[in-house]
Amino acid sequence: EEEEEEEEVPAEVIDLTSDNPPSSSHRNENIAATHFTPAAPDFGDLRRTKSATPKMGVGASSGRSSGGIKDEINKAHSADVGLKRFSRRKKHIDLIGRTARELVESAPEGEQLSQYKAQVAKFASEAYENDDDDEKNEKNENETQRNLVEELDEKDDTGKTMVTTPKTTTTVTKMGGTHTKFNISPLSPTELKLEASARAAKRATTTFAAAAAEEEKDPLRAQLEALRLEQKKKEELRVKATEDRVKAEEEAAKEAIVEKKKAKEVDVFDQLPTPEEDERIDNAYDSGELVNHACARLPGQGVMPLKGKDIHTLAPVTWLNDECVNFTLGILGRRERERCGPKGHPRCHFFNTFFLNKLFQDDGEYDYNKVRRWSTEKKLGYLPIKCEKVIVPVHQGVHWVLAVVDLKRKVVSYYDSLLGKDREVVRNLIKWVVDEAKNKLNENWDIGEWREEYPSEIPRQMNGSDCGMFMLNYARNIASFTDEDLKNNAFTFHQRDMVNLRRRLVLEILKIGLEMPADD
């Protein structure tokens, strides 16, 4: 029988813990052993058959026993020189796990070697695929960090010396070969982002400083910029003022009483009519021109009748006539007499619309004698020169204003809802005061002690038809003002109140009614 001979395998030593592992040319033969520590299986039954073992020459088999693969296993365990091929098979089987060992051990005796090779090849393929993925991820990360540092270096345009992030390399050994890993920065990704933000802020500061320096060099540009900012601020203030005005008007429209008045005891005109009173007012507006609605003797006015044509001038957006103005001033005069009592002295006296016509307007020159008897105590029951205020309506053809002689403060004030000034009216009234004191009190008042006043912080009309209503409400408020109210211009009406004030005045006229027969 032909003697079986075993192939001699050159001794090979594999040190898996060495810093210089085999080159990448042996990747299909050497597997790193750092991640697997299973127990070594028993290969006592591992055999090589004729079909799996090539024949050897006679010289090659000289001095060797014919014990087959079992003898070689025993020799390998006792050798001090390293591992042979069967030693590598055993170690490889240990590395690839229990399943591979079971597959090899359970394979038929003639197929164990081929099964072993198949398992080793499968494990090596999977291991190298994972190794390639790790290398690719590390390469991408290193490339990202390198690009970030280079970008920061390029963007630093200050021209100053900068601290460059150190770049080092580390040789990393993995199964089947080695590769180089770049450690571009000792900073973490978060620290790199912070460093990038700091550099961006530095560049922005430099840009702003350069812009400021440029403006200093170009004064015209700086002036234009300042002008633009000023115009923008004015526009913002204008918009805010408009918004505040609209908001105030909306709030006032929702209130039952538009505004609490500070003037004492003058509240009836600030109240809203009831539904029944509204119906009565509407009927007066719809009445005929010749219908008599009121007739009464009023202080400072004499007998005053009012017809439908007069009431019609109290409709919205309509000019008031002299009859309605004088009747209203008579109502205010009556209320003043009721306030002070039959024996008291009224605080205010109200002249009618014809007083200034007689004083100087009709003839174009001042003449005290034409109005000397208008203010006698016999006619009025008191002397107007002894009141605190004398209120005078002023008609300027197409516009109503109010003049107030403040005898306590020695001031003649001119209240114009359009903020006009008529110095002739004011100075002629100062002359009248001096002449009146001489005639009624036999006193010589110094005209130089009197002052002119043209208030501007007062309610103003916003159309061309409500000047008469503004004049009458100036008189209504001023007649009840205290010194503090007068100082603060505490008026209780505005343009938005004009419609209600017109209707309320119609109602007050209708309440007086026909106190005496009206002459047709």
Side-chain angles (χ1 to χ4, degrees):
E1 183 178 5
E2 188 176 351
E3 183 177 295
E4 293 182 351
E5 295 179 355
E6 289 294 325
E7 177 185 1
E8 183 179 359
V9 180
E12 183 176 77
V13 179
I14 302 176
D15 186 0
L16 296 176
T17 63
S18 173
D19 292 336
N20 297 303
S23 63
S24 58
S25 61
H26 297 285
R27 294 181 67 166
N28 294 330
E29 298 177 6
N30 303 322
I31 307 298
T34 58
H35 296 84
F36 302 90
T37 57
D42 185 8
F43 286 89
D45 297 329
L46 190 60
R47 294 287 186 272
R48 298 185 68 180
T49 62
K50 287 183 178 181
S51 60
T53 305
K55 292 184 178 182
M56 307 294 294
V58 176
S61 63
S62 169
R64 295 176 60 88
S65 66
S66 59
I69 191 62
K70 186 173 183 180
D71 293 337
E72 290 189 8
I73 292 175
N74 292 332
K75 291 178 181 179
H77 278 293
S78 60
D80 295 331
V81 187
L83 301 176
K84 297 186 186 296
R85 182 177 297 173
F86 57 85
S87 178
R88 293 199 304 275
R89 292 174 192 165
K90 177 180 177 181
K91 189 172 290 292
H92 288 173
I93 292 298
D94 288 343
L95 291 174
I96 62 180
R98 180 178 177 183
T99 303
R101 290 200 306 273
E102 292 177 352
L103 289 173
V104 173
E105 291 176 358
S106 63
E109 184 175 352
E111 299 179 4
Q112 287 181 345
L113 182 59
S114 60
Q115 184 65 33
Y116 157 75
K117 291 181 178 180
Q119 293 299 321
V120 170
K122 179 180 179 182
F123 173 77
S125 176
E126 294 176 353
Y128 293 144
E129 289 179 359
N130 295 334
D131 187 36
D132 290 341
D133 292 339
D134 293 341
E135 290 180 1
K136 182 182 296 184
N137 292 336
E138 290 180 354
K139 183 178 179 181
N140 292 338
E141 182 178 356
N142 292 338
E143 184 66 22
T144 301
Q145 292 187 357
R146 188 193 298 95
N147 292 338
L148 179 59
V149 172
E150 291 177 355
E151 181 180 356
L152 293 177
D153 292 343
E154 292 175 358
K155 288 184 178 180
D156 193 344
D157 53 358
T158 60
K160 298 181 180 180
T161 303
M162 58 176 290
V163 179
T164 306
T165 306
K167 301 180 181 180
T168 59
T169 59
T170 302
T171 301
V172 179
T173 302
K174 289 202 173 183
M175 180 172 44
T178 62
H179 66 277
T180 301
K181 178 179 180 180
F182 289 90
N183 296 327
I184 298 175
S185 173
L187 303 178
S188 65
T190 302
E191 291 172 331
L192 285 172
K193 291 180 180 179
L194 292 175
E195 183 179 349
S197 299
R199 296 191 183 205
K202 184 178 180 181
R203 290 194 300 273
T205 303
T206 303
T207 302
F208 294 150
E214 185 66 22
E215 288 184 359
E216 292 180 358
K217 295 179 182 179
D218 189 355
L220 179 60
R221 178 179 178 185
Q223 292 176 4
L224 291 175
E225 181 65 17
L227 180 61
R228 185 186 66 81
L229 293 176
E230 183 179 359
Q231 291 176 345
K232 181 179 179 182
K233 185 177 180 180
K234 288 182 179 180
E235 180 66 18
E236 292 175 352
L237 292 175
R238 186 190 66 77
V239 172
K240 186 177 184 304
T242 302
E243 293 176 352
D244 292 343
R245 179 179 59 79
V246 172
K247 184 178 179 180
E249 291 178 354
E250 291 177 352
E251 291 178 354
K254 295 178 182 179
E255 296 177 358
I257 298 177
V258 176
E259 197 174 21
K260 285 185 178 181
K261 42 187 192 312
K262 297 181 180 179
K264 308 291 188 300
E265 300 181 23
V266 184
D267 57 351
V268 64
F269 288 95
D270 294 324
Q271 298 176 0
L272 293 174
T274 64
E276 294 78 10
E277 292 172 338
D278 274 331
E279 184 177 0
R280 187 179 179 185
I281 295 169
D282 291 337
N283 291 335
Y285 280 145
D286 295 337
S287 65
E289 292 185 353
L290 300 180
V291 175
N292 293 315
H293 289 286
C295 185
R297 183 180 296 276
L298 300 173
Q301 310 296 331
V303 176
M304 290 292 302
L306 279 186
K307 298 182 180 293
K309 62 182 180 64
D310 304 317
I311 297 294
H312 295 167
T313 65
L314 290 173
V317 198
T318 307
W319 289 0
L320 272 64
N321 62 10
D322 290 272
E323 286 74 15
C324 281
V325 170
N326 289 329
F327 199 100
T328 304
L329 293 174
I331 294 176
L332 296 177
R334 174 180 284 189
R335 293 175 61 179
E336 185 65 26
R337 294 300 300 270
E338 292 173 352
R339 181 184 297 126
C340 68
K343 295 183 180 182
H345 198 286
R347 292 175 299 181
C348 297
H349 175 73
F350 299 86
F351 281 118
N352 62 26
T353 58
F354 307 109
F355 175 74
L356 286 183
N357 290 340
K358 291 293 183 180
L359 183 64
F360 75 93
Q361 287 182 339
D362 286 348
D363 296 336
E365 59 181 6
Y366 176 82
D367 188 353
Y368 172 74
N369 290 324
K370 290 184 177 181
V371 296
R372 179 173 56 85
R373 295 185 179 183
W374 285 45
S375 55
T376 62
E377 186 173 6
K378 180 179 179 180
K379 182 178 181 179
L380 299 176
Y382 61 91
L383 290 175
I385 194 67
K386 291 185 177 180
C387 294
E388 293 182 6
K389 299 182 182 72
V390 175
I391 295 177
V392 183
V394 181
H395 188 232
Q396 296 180 325
V398 293
H399 186 53
W400 288 102
V401 298
L402 185 73
V404 178
V405 179
D406 193 328
L407 295 162
K408 188 176 181 180
R409 297 169 53 232
K410 294 185 177 182
V411 174
V412 176
S413 301
Y414 188 84
Y415 291 87
D416 187 347
S417 57
L418 297 179
L419 301 185
K421 296 181 181 180
D422 192 335
R423 297 186 181 278
E424 184 181 12
V425 170
V426 174
R427 291 171 181 175
N428 283 327
L429 284 175
I430 293 176
K431 290 181 182 179
W432 170 84
V433 169
V434 174
D435 291 340
E436 185 76 359
K438 179 66 176 178
N439 182 261
K440 303 297 189 300
L441 303 178
N442 197 24
E443 296 178 2
N444 295 320
W445 288 7
D446 186 2
I447 195 172
E449 295 179 353
W450 285 77
R451 296 183 295 109
E452 303 176 15
E453 190 175 73
Y454 302 90
S456 59
E457 299 297 326
I458 58 177
R460 297 180 57 187
Q461 72 178 93
M462 300 299 172
N463 58 23
S465 57
D466 283 329
C467 57
M469 290 302 301
F470 273 85
M471 182 269 293
L472 291 176
N473 282 280
Y474 289 149
R476 175 174 66 90
N477 278 178
I478 291 172
S480 300
F481 271 174
T482 64
D483 291 340
E484 183 179 357
D485 293 334
L486 186 63
K487 180 180 179 180
N488 297 328
N489 291 324
F491 294 98
T492 64
F493 64 96
H494 300 281
Q495 175 67 63
R496 60 177 177 268
D497 304 318
M498 288 300 110
V499 173
N500 176 64
L501 289 172
R502 285 175 177 269
R503 296 178 64 85
R504 190 74 205 189
L505 180 54
V506 172
L507 182 62
E508 294 303 310
I509 293 172
L510 296 177
K511 285 181 178 180
I512 292 178
L514 297 172
E515 294 182 349
M516 60 180 61
D519 296 335
D520 295 335

